[in-house]
Amino acid sequence: MVDILDKAMRSHDLDKYEIVRLLSIDDVAQQELLFKAADKTRQQYLGTDVHLRGLIEFSNYCMNDCMYCGIRRGNRTLERYRIEPDEVIKVAAQAYRLGYRTIVLQSGEDSYYTGDVMCHIIRGIKEVADVAITLSIGERSYDDYRRMKEAGADRYLMRFETSNRGLYKKLHPRMDFDNRIQCLRDIKSLGYELGSGFLVGLPGQTVEDIADDILLLEELGADMVGIGPFIPHPDTPLRNCNSGCLDMVLKAVAVLRLVMPDINIPATTAVGTSDPFGRQKALKAGANVIMPNVTPLEYRQLYQLYPGKICIGENPQDCRICVEGLIRSVGRTVGTGYGGHNG
Ligand code: SAM
Ligand code: FES
């Protein structure tokens, strides 16, 4: 194991077998060695800054039916909301005043926000706030991606969820793995910084699948990667499945840091939900980004992708103060710039 870690720190190049070996470490002391190696690599390439992204969840309407997701179309019990475009611009301006230099606009796949509407929101935000804009609104046409980039969007976040085609098909009715990957390639080719990622602990997922997920992220040239544990939602078909294991998420974050040493890796909200110190642990295992929620309070409890989601009751200002405290508690500093992959 130590030989693989040495190689990873020297070359940042591991094959599938070596990745599986690292992900399979059970021994606590050996896991600690893996996390330390990732932490050292993060320090060497990116320093102590943790970048903050203000997350605006602007619509919980979704035309998809992902089997694990609390806002899936099939969840008829959920009250749906949309924040009107000009209101989204105002929320982004408030986040800018709170100090955020990146805004993430996330929603279900909601055709109410056409390419034109998204361009209006993006231009409106750029007029009032000096921020980088990340979109996380799912699969769109090439033309939409192009126009939104021209309107000023900087980054795009869309997880492929799992690289195992068979599993992808089972979990995503009427969706097509190849189309999702093509979208990610289009996004990258248009000059966006590309964010992607996957879920850990999906029913039927193996360690080999997770190794393939990491290799696919390398192949796609991802600039940022979110990895989260699957958390079963009571109003979805997967309600009785087990949650993903936090240790496996942390090992995946650490291995990813070793093979993609300078990318942005968030300590995800799902990690913070599965363990009260989950985000701190992720920051010590290679992560360098946190995405505090800046969605107006009245909507937050309606954007429950999974139960128990943290920060449902905190106002945006409190969330920022809390996250800054969290960052300092692990000896790190709060980033002040845009925090992109390329500066
Ligand atoms: N609609 C956009 C998309 O498809 O990329 C963005 C929103 S989507 C709800 C955001 C992410 O939530 C998904 O990529 C998925 O990984 C995560 N998610 C959904 N349900 C989850 C669950 N039960 N546990 C953990 N993460 C979940
Ligand atoms: Fe939101 Fe702590 S991160 S209140």
Side-chain angles (χ1 to χ4, degrees), residues 121-141:
I121 294 175
I122 294 161
R123 287 201 191 93
I125 293 176
K126 289 278 179 172
E127 266 170 34
V128 295
D130 178 18
V131 290
I133 296 180
T134 303
L135 301 176
S136 178
I137 58 174
E139 294 174 33
R140 294 274 173 147
S141 66

Side-chain angles (χ1 to χ4, degrees), residues 27 42 49 65 79 94 103 106 109 145 156 160 174 185 224 247 268 275 282 290 299 319 324:
D27 179 78
R42 186 269 311 151
D49 273 0
D65 234 351
E79 185 189 328
Q94 279 160 12
I103 301 297
Q106 190 177 88
E109 288 205 13
Y145 289 138
Y156 206 100
F160 52 72
R174 295 180 299 281
R185 295 194 198 286
M224 48 191 170
D247 280 348
T268 57
D275 177 321
I290 293 190
Y299 303 116
C319 234
E324 287 189 1

Side-chain angles (χ1 to χ4, degrees), residues 58 105 107 113-123 135 137 140 148 151:
F58 65 90
L105 301 177
S107 67
Y113 301 86
T114 58
D116 281 341
V117 171
M118 288 310 303
C119 288
H120 169 80
I121 294 175
I122 294 161
R123 287 201 191 93
L135 301 176
I137 58 174
R140 294 274 173 147
M148 296 189 294

Side-chain angles (χ1 to χ4, degrees), residues 279 310-311 314 318-319 322-323:
R279 287 180 297 180
I310 51 172
C311 304
E314 269 72 30
D318 291 344
C319 234
C322 164
V323 166

Side-chain angles (χ1 to χ4, degrees), residues 5 23 51 54 79 144 187 189 208 218 258 262 301 311:
L5 277 186
L23 293 174
H51 302 293
E79 185 189 328
D144 272 3
I187 290 164
S189 75
E208 283 76 16
E218 281 195 271
L258 290 171
D262 67 349
Q301 78 282 8
C311 304

Side-chain angles (χ1 to χ4, degrees), residues 288-301:
N288 71 319
V289 170
I290 293 190
M291 293 166 59
N293 202 324
V294 296
T295 308
L297 269 187
E298 62 218 272
Y299 303 116
R300 284 204 201 171
Q301 78 282 8

